[in-house]
């Protein structure tokens, strides 16, 4: 017995499905695939070859007799399918099959018919698109971010109006009407597919600020209102936004545990910026934590992580004034795990204090070349004194004061001081520092010796009559400010400001901005306006090159603001590149640097492996310097010579 489902007897639905297939085969036989209904009701040969067993059965199957059972009538005359697609019983076969299931081939277009076949004697619209893309280097789809860059609300409305009025050159065509191929082709040409710069002029989205053609920076002219505000500040004697004194950005460098935070905390106290109440609170907290010797350091190291580990993790920023200078103090971490943070701090600095541990064995630990040697090779040392000096010079710091601290541990020995100087001086010369730009002085942080005045300790005062740290700071020269170049402010930090708004902070490297100025953030391409400017917790109306400010922005998504991005002039955005040509100084690496080796590129406040916002060193030095690091070590430093 023939098997059905599961190998048993055939069910009624099996008969229905089988016979329905036969019905459909018969149905197909009445139509020729090219000419509509067949001339003869006989079954074509191809169908016989396809289903020979079924055709044989149909040839011998008699028609259902009158009064036959329902099953016999169904087998001989099956009904059409149900709407669900399954066979059904009892219905009569329609007189003619639905035309929508098997439509006839459309007839050839007659002369004068509105439907004409494409002659293929002219390029099709697709060919036009392909040719245009080949001429412009391929289609370049715009992202959501890039399409919004550089558009003010007025420009958006204008673009929408232009887009609404765009039509074929031969006239406006109603929706749904067929247009001639030539009109479509001309309209495609007018859209300038594949061209970012020209798309915005035809009603499409404008080009991204990061992808616009680069313009020479010397062509930039400072806006009239900003120029007037800068001139008024110059007449008032203000070199910074809030102080008439020359403004310095000073970074504190040195090996971990060299006493940087302790010395700076005591310096701020002696200059009057930290009152005795704050000092008492810090000493009490340090004593309760069992770290009484960190009391002065905790005036700067306020983060719980820093206090728990006993090391500086991030760059602490403070401001103070000496009799001749307004200083932004950047206390950089000394631990090798946080060298990237040190680079971000040093990239903002004009000058530096390099603290050297003068205690027995302290200097050697910080200056060790990593191979148990104090040689002068520019290597990647286990101590950070050497690496910090190399990175500082590569990041543009030319003025350096070497402070030899902790001399109280060796009875303020002048011999120890001269010994360290004799080793450090040749190394600093080889690193690139001019001897005329170097200062050497001793200091002791906890006791305050030689910080703001002459030393009071007899053992030190007996041989040192030179400058104090405050005097050394006064001798630093303020750097030249690039005010007449487009706005560039690398973002160092993103945080929630004291007024509740999301803020970014950084040093303005070039140009100027005021409240209400339009800006763009690269690489995200977000455009917005300056909402507030704040310097040293005071609201200001303008910031210019050399100022370190906190900025709140309007019209920019907070998720698009990251450290390492650059705040720019919207019409003179910083180039965003994936390839740069640099002239590098390779340090004393253990293995050669190979082509294709993956490294981390540090430029200004950014650390990148894919793309970077940068300028030519010849155009803007602060954004034209780089450092290459891998595996926690600095491999090379250099300057950008070409942006391909």
């Amino acid at each position: 017995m023939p098997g059905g489902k599961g190998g048993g007897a055939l069910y009624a639905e099996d008969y229905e499905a089988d016979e329905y297939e036969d019905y459909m085969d018969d149905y197909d036989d009445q139509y020729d695939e090219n000419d509509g209904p067949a001339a003869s009701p006989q079954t074509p040969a191809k169908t016989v070859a396809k289903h020979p067993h079924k055709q044989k059965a149909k040839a011998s199957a008699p028609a259902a007799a009158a009064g036959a059972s329902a099953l016999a009538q169904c087998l001989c005359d099956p009904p059409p399918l149900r709407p669900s697609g399954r066979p059904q019983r009892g219905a009569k076969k329609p007189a003619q099959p639905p035309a929508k299931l098997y439509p006839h081939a459309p007839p050839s277009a007659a002369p004068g018919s509105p439907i004409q076949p494409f002659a293929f004697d002219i390029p099709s619209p697709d060919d036009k698109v392909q040719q245009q893309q080949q001429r412009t280097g391929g289609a370049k789809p715009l992202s959501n971010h890039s399409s919004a860059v550089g558009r003010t609300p007025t420009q958006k409305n204008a673009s929408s109006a232009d887009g609404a009025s765009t039509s074929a050159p031969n006239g406006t065509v109603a929706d749904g009407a067929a247009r001639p191929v030539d009109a479509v082709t001309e309209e495609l040409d007018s859209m300038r597919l594949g061209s970012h710069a020209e798309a915005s002029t035809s009603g499409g989205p404008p080009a991204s600020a990061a992808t616009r053609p680069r313009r020479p920076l010397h062509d930039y002219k400072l806006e009239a209102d900003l120029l007037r505000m800068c001139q008024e500040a110059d007449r008032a004697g203000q070199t910074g936004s809030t102080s008439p004194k020359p403004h310095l950005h000073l970074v504190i460098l040195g090996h971990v545990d060299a006493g940087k935070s302790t010395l700076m905390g005591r310096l701020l106290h002696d200059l009057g910026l930290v009152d005795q109440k704050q000092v008492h609170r810090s000493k009490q907290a340090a004593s309760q934590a069992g770290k009484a010797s960190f009391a002065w350091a905790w005036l700067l190291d306020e983060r719980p992580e820093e206090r728990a580990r006993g090391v500086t993790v991030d760059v602490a920023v403070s401001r103070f004034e000496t009799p001749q200078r307004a200083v932004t103090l950047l206390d950089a971490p000394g631990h090798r795990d946080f060298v990237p943070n040190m680079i971000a701090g040093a990239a903002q600095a004009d000058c530096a204090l390099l603290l050297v541990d003068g205690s027995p064995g302290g200097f050697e630990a910080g200056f060790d070349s990593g191979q148990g040697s104090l040689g002068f090779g520019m290597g990647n040392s286990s101590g950070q004194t050497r690496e910090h000096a190399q990175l500082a010079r590569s990041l543009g710091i030319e003025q350096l004061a070497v402070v030899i601290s902790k001399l109280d541990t060796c009875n303020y020995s002048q011999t120890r001081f001269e010994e360290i100087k004799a080793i450090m001086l040749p190394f600093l010369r080889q690193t690139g520092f001019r001897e005329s730009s170097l200062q050497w002085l001793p200091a002791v942080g906890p006791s305050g010796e030689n910080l703001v005045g002459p030393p009071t300790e007899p053992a030190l005062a007996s041989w040192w009559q030179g400058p104090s740290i405050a005097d050394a700071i006064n001798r630093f020269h303020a750097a030249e400010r690039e005010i007449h170049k487009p706005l560039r402010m690398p973002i160092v930090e993103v945080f929630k400001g004291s007024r509740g708004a999301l803020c970014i902070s950084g040093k303005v490297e070039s140009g100027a901005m005021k409240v209400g100025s339009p800006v763009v953030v690269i690489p995200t391409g977000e455009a917005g306006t300056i909402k507030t400017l704040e310097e040293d917790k005071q609201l200001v109306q303008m910031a210019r090159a050399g100022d370190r400010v906190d900025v709140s922005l309007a019209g920019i998504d907070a998720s698009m603001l990251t450290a390492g991005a650059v705040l720019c002039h919207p019409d003179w955005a910083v180039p965003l590149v994936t390839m740069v040509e640099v002239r590098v100084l390779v340090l004393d690496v253990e293995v050669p640097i190979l082509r294709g080796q993956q490294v981390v590129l540090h430029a200004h406040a950014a650390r990148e492996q894919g793309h970077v916002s940068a300028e030519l060193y010849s155009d803007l030095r602060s954004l034209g310097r780089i450092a290459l690091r891998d595996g926690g070590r600095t491999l090379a430093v250099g300057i950008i010579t070409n942006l391909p």
Side-chain angles (χ1 to χ4, degrees):
M1 183 172 58
K5 293 181 180 179
L10 286 172
Y11 294 92
E13 60 182 353
D14 292 324
Y15 281 103
E16 293 172 3
D18 255 1
E19 292 302 321
Y20 182 72
E21 290 180 10
D22 293 339
Y23 160 70
M24 297 303 293
D25 288 338
D26 292 338
Y27 193 81
D28 288 339
D29 295 341
Q30 299 177 15
Y31 289 85
D32 184 79
E33 60 182 1
N34 295 323
D35 300 324
S40 170
Q42 295 179 358
T43 302
K46 61 176 183 178
T47 306
V48 177
K50 183 176 180 182
H51 301 289
H53 62 288
K54 294 182 179 180
Q55 196 65 30
K56 182 177 179 181
K58 283 188 276 189
S60 58
S69 66
L71 177 59
Q73 292 180 6
C74 181
L75 292 177
C76 297
D77 192 13
L81 291 175
R82 294 190 180 106
S84 62
R86 293 184 59 81
Q88 62 177 335
R89 302 180 185 178
K92 294 184 178 181
K93 181 177 179 179
Q96 293 183 354
K100 63 179 181 179
L101 294 178
Y102 293 91
H104 295 283
S108 299
S113 172
I115 303 177
Q116 294 292 334
F118 190 76
F120 294 98
D121 55 350
I122 59 173
S124 69
D126 289 343
D127 293 336
K128 286 286 186 180
V129 173
Q130 185 175 8
Q131 293 172 6
Q132 183 66 23
Q133 291 177 354
Q134 291 174 352
R135 288 196 299 267
T136 57
K140 301 176 182 178
L142 296 176
S143 65
N144 292 335
H145 299 315
S146 63
S147 62
V149 172
R151 271 194 194 175
T152 62
T154 303
Q155 289 173 324
K156 284 185 178 180
N157 295 338
S159 297
S160 300
D162 291 343
S165 63
T166 300
S167 62
N170 294 337
T172 302
V173 181
D175 292 340
R179 292 178 291 179
V181 174
D182 290 343
V184 176
T185 302
E186 292 178 10
E187 184 173 348
L188 291 173
D189 283 339
S190 68
M191 292 172 63
R192 308 291 294 174
L193 296 179
S195 174
H196 284 228
E198 297 171 357
S200 61
T201 64
S202 62
S208 168
T211 58
R212 292 174 185 167
R214 294 194 288 269
R215 303 162 65 182
L217 298 189
H218 57 74
D219 289 347
Y220 171 76
K221 301 296 181 183
L222 189 65
E223 286 78 358
D225 53 347
L226 285 173
L227 179 60
R228 183 179 62 255
M229 296 176 73
C230 291
Q231 291 173 345
E232 292 174 355
D234 290 338
R235 285 193 295 268
Q238 291 183 332
T239 55
S241 297
T242 59
S243 174
K245 300 175 182 179
H247 199 174
L248 294 175
H249 288 75
L250 176 67
V251 64
I252 312 302
L253 307 176
H255 184 60
V256 64
D257 293 335
K260 300 184 297 300
S261 297
T262 298
L263 188 143
M264 288 298 105
R266 180 59 189 260
L267 177 65
L268 294 177
H269 170 265
D270 291 354
L271 289 172
L273 275 78
V274 178
D275 58 29
Q276 194 60 37
K277 184 178 180 180
Q278 290 176 282
V279 174
H280 176 73
R281 185 164 55 246
S282 178
K283 287 183 177 180
Q284 187 177 20
S287 298
Q288 292 176 353
K291 299 180 179 181
S293 61
F294 288 83
W296 293 108
W298 280 17
L299 292 174
L300 294 175
D301 296 341
E302 299 179 345
R303 297 173 54 180
E305 180 186 2
E306 294 176 324
R307 294 188 172 188
R309 298 185 58 173
V311 297
T312 302
V313 174
D314 209 345
V315 178
V317 181
S318 303
R319 289 179 173 85
F320 65 90
E321 292 188 15
T322 67
Q324 301 177 26
R325 297 288 185 268
V327 181
T328 297
L329 178 66
L330 306 165
D331 184 18
H335 197 282
R336 65 178 304 168
D337 290 348
F338 308 112
V339 170
N341 295 341
M342 171 265 163
I343 293 175
Q348 307 171 59
D350 308 314
C351 47
L353 295 181
L354 179 62
L355 259 68
V356 177
D357 187 349
S359 63
F363 166 68
E364 290 76 11
F367 197 68
D368 185 11
S369 64
Q371 300 175 351
S373 170
L374 294 180
F376 303 140
M378 300 180 66
N380 291 280
S381 61
S382 58
Q384 299 308 302
T385 302
R386 181 188 298 267
E387 185 176 14
H388 280 203
Q390 295 168 351
L391 288 171
R393 185 64 191 91
S394 70
L395 293 171
I397 295 176
E398 299 179 352
Q399 305 175 83
L400 183 69
V402 182
V403 180
I404 301 176
S405 65
K406 298 188 179 182
L407 287 179
D408 56 322
T409 60
C410 54
N411 198 26
Y412 301 98
S413 170
Q414 182 180 5
T415 303
R416 179 64 169 169
F417 179 86
E418 296 295 341
E419 175 189 357
I420 294 174
K421 180 179 178 180
I423 296 175
M424 287 285 297
L425 182 56
F427 166 74
L428 293 176
R429 286 174 180 166
Q430 185 177 357
T431 303
F433 289 98
R434 297 178 180 178
E435 190 170 355
S436 59
S437 299
L438 297 175
Q439 301 183 64
W440 303 85
L441 61 155
V444 178
S447 62
E449 295 294 332
N450 205 41
L451 296 186
V452 296
T456 59
E457 174 62 40
L460 180 59
S462 63
W463 60 270
W464 182 257
Q465 289 80 38
S468 65
I469 288 182
D471 295 333
I473 294 174
N474 287 330
R475 293 181 180 183
F476 287 137
H477 301 290
E480 181 182 355
R481 305 307 180 190
E482 304 281 0
I483 296 177
H484 296 286
K485 292 185 178 179
L487 174 65
R488 301 284 188 268
M489 191 192 88
I491 298 175
V492 177
E493 186 180 5
V494 181
F495 63 98
K496 190 173 183 179
S498 58
R499 293 172 173 80
L502 189 70
C503 296
I504 59 175
S505 66
K507 178 188 174 186
V508 182
E509 296 292 352
S510 65
M513 57 182 169
K514 64 181 182 65
V515 175
S517 293
V519 292
V520 63
V521 178
I522 301 298
T524 60
E526 289 286 308
T529 57
I530 303 294
K531 186 177 181 180
T532 62
L533 291 171
E534 187 175 341
E535 183 177 10
D536 197 16
K537 299 181 181 180
Q538 298 181 25
L539 290 175
V540 294
Q541 293 300 311
M542 179 196 67
R544 53 181 175 166
D547 297 338
R548 194 181 196 279
V549 291
D550 299 336
V551 184
S552 65
L553 302 170
I556 294 183
D557 186 358
S559 63
M560 298 299 171
L561 300 175
T562 58
V566 181
L567 193 68
C568 307
H569 192 292
D571 297 328
W572 299 79
V574 62
L576 179 64
V577 295
T578 57
M579 180 182 298
V580 295
E581 292 182 9
V582 297
R583 185 168 71 245
V584 298
L585 173 64
V586 179
L587 306 185
D588 188 15
V589 296
E590 295 181 358
V591 296
I593 301 176
L594 303 177
R595 181 177 182 179
Q597 178 178 348
Q598 291 189 355
V599 297
V600 178
L601 186 146
H602 292 258
H604 48 86
R607 64 187 86 158
E608 303 289 350
Q609 287 184 300
H611 57 263
V612 66
S613 304
E615 295 280 6
L616 292 176
Y617 179 79
S618 58
D619 289 341
L620 190 59
R621 292 188 174 187
S622 56
L623 269 68
R625 301 184 179 98
I626 61 101
L628 302 179
R629 288 177 54 82
D630 182 34
R633 304 195 307 173
T634 303
L635 304 180
V637 294
I639 59 176
I640 298 175
T641 59
N642 187 26
L643 299 174

